[in-house]
Amino acid sequence: MPSGKTHTKINLIGLPVIIAPLALLHPLHYEAIFVYAAGFLIGTYLLTPDLDTESDCYNNWGLFRFLWYPYQKFIPHRSILSHGLLIGDIIRILYLSIILFPLASFVNKQYGETTLLVWLEEHRDVLFVLILGVITASTFHIVLDKFYKPKRRKKR
């Protein structure tokens, strides 16, 4: 299996390969392309399938990595729940949403001009594109896990 650094490298190479054609085909949609790229980077650095271990991604959460401890305990490593196409992303995004919802609700009550659910509805297109970027990044990760064969050194 590839290392976390290899996953990151491949994703960072792949991002411009995806973004360039989008920018050429849809030159007036730079905001959506930026949101997609942000989601892709979030998926590369913060929401990878390897959150089920003490990986680089887990450590990228810094002081907040404790949020992922229950996830690591209940999600078996490299199972369909973490490394399944789409299902792993849905589980990670729902998990994070459930964890952050109380905080987001509190902040919304204190400072928001509208309810959190109304805000989510108003921004559903942006959230969809952001999540699409996260899903694409983890798809790169999963495909690389399936097909990457490290070169073995020959014994002398």
Side-chain angles (χ1 to χ4, degrees):
M1 293 292 144
S3 70
K5 290 181 186 3
T6 300
H7 280 298
T8 301
K9 222 181 275 186
I10 296 295
N11 277 21
L12 293 179
I13 290 167
L15 180 59
V17 171
I18 293 170
I19 294 296
L22 288 175
L24 292 172
L25 292 171
H26 302 286
L28 300 178
H29 293 93
Y30 285 117
E31 290 174 359
I33 293 169
F34 176 79
V35 170
Y36 174 84
F40 192 93
L41 292 172
I42 289 167
T44 298
Y45 287 104
L46 296 173
L47 290 176
T48 75
D50 285 343
L51 275 169
D52 58 356
T53 64
E54 290 194 26
S55 59
D56 290 343
C57 176
Y58 173 75
N59 290 321
N60 287 342
W61 281 86
L63 294 173
F64 297 101
R65 66 179 168 254
F66 72 91
L67 295 172
W68 293 99
Y69 185 74
Y71 175 87
Q72 289 179 345
K73 292 301 167 203
F74 292 106
I75 303 294
H77 182 53
R78 287 206 179 99
S79 72
I80 194 166
L81 300 176
S82 66
H83 282 66
L85 288 175
L86 202 56
I87 187 80
D89 298 302
I90 291 169
I91 289 171
R92 282 187 300 281
I93 291 167
L94 282 175
Y95 175 85
L96 186 60
S97 298
I98 290 167
I99 296 286
L100 295 180
F101 189 78
L103 176 63
S105 294
F106 173 77
V107 170
N108 182 251
K109 283 182 182 176
Q110 299 300 315
Y111 305 104
E113 295 176 15
T114 185
T115 67
L116 182 59
L117 293 177
V118 169
W119 185 89
L120 290 171
E121 177 64 25
E122 289 173 354
H123 295 88
R124 72 175 181 268
D125 294 342
V126 172
L127 292 170
F128 175 78
V129 172
L130 186 77
I131 290 170
L132 190 59
V134 171
I135 291 169
T136 307
S138 72
T139 300
F140 274 42
H141 180 110
I142 293 164
V143 168
L144 188 60
D145 275 354
K146 295 272 188 223
F147 295 107
Y148 178 82
K149 304 288 184 223
K151 293 180 183 178
R152 298 193 186 265
R153 292 184 179 174
K154 294 179 183 178
K155 292 183 181 178
R156 293 184 180 189

